[in-house]
Amino acid sequence: MTERVHPGDSPPTSGEHSVPKPATSSPEKPAPQPGTYVIQIPKDQIYRVPPPGNAHRYAHLSKRKPRRSTSRSCCCCLLTTILALLLAAAIAAAVIYFAFKPESPNYSVESVAIKGFNLTSPSPLSPEFDVTVRAHNPNDKIGIYYEKGSSVKVYYDDINLCNGALPAFFQPTNNVTLFKTALKGSEIELNNAVLGTLSDQQNKGAVPFSLKLRAPVKIKVGSIKTWKITVKVTCKITVDKLTAASKVASNDCDYGVDLW
């Protein structure tokens, strides 16, 4: 590094004599170290905010606050829009309900023909159920489209015996429709205890089964068709015997829907 050179006192010129300085009582301040500079600024020139000449350097700090307020206003607008849509949907649903007065359709099992049950053989079963379901649409202004993709299953004591599907059709207003579906199962293994229970129940004339129906439907209101709604029907039925000539002794069906 280049060393700093401080000029010394100039020697007195010819004809001049150095005059000694009078001694003072105050102590002398130490001379600053070479290369050290001391700057003194009056207190009235110290700013807590940047002076106008340097304000542009800190302008980005003042721009953050409007962003927060903008994001809050966007959230408020979004929340207001959602609430408005929900309110509009509720009003529309209320108008449709009071204008059309929709009623739930009714379902019941009319008949069951059973084949493929041999309770004396330990071999796997291949049961077949020919089921006739009665669907009643009691509405005056609402029709029902039964779409493809339905399922019908028969259970005995949580054992799935056979499966099938409903035909696709349209049910008009104030209509009763009887639709038949063939349900089939294969390689159903039942242990000796279950076979014995089925035999005892058949001798008593009361064999219980559970039928579960799931069908995608669309509701027709005037000229408007809704999105697909899943109809869920569960029927507890009892038959007198496990033959093609069996008769339904009792049936009790529960109805529900999945809107989405």
Side-chain angles (χ1 to χ4, degrees), residues 3 23 27 44 95 101 104 149 159 192 215 218 225 227 233 253:
E3 297 183 357
D44 57 353
V95 170
K101 297 180 179 180
S104 300
I159 301 173
N192 292 331
K218 289 184 178 181
K225 290 173 63 175
W227 61 93
V233 180
C253 295

Side-chain angles (χ1 to χ4, degrees), residues 47-58:
Y47 298 97
R48 294 185 180 273
V49 296
N54 297 331
H56 67 280
R57 299 181 181 180
Y58 306 95

Side-chain angles (χ1 to χ4, degrees), residues 231-244:
V231 172
K232 302 186 299 182
V233 180
T234 301
C235 297
K236 303 293 183 181
I237 62 175
T238 303
V239 296
D240 60 346
K241 49 191 170 183
L242 301 174
T243 65

Side-chain angles (χ1 to χ4, degrees), residues 111-119 124-132 152-155 160-164 181-188 190 209 211 237 239 241-246:
S111 64
V112 178
I114 303 174
K115 293 180 285 186
F117 269 92
N118 186 357
L119 302 182
L125 303 179
S126 296
E128 297 182 10
F129 281 62
D130 292 334
V131 180
T132 301
V152 184
K153 300 180 180 181
V154 171
Y155 292 83
N160 185 201
L161 297 177
C162 50
N163 306 301
T181 178
L183 313 180
K184 295 182 179 181
S186 62
E187 301 298 322
I188 306 299
L190 303 178
F209 293 102
L211 183 144
I237 62 175
V239 296
K241 49 191 170 183
L242 301 174
T243 65
S246 63

Side-chain angles (χ1 to χ4, degrees), residues 19 97 107 127 180 223:
V19 180
Y97 179 81
Y107 298 92
K180 296 182 179 181
S223 60

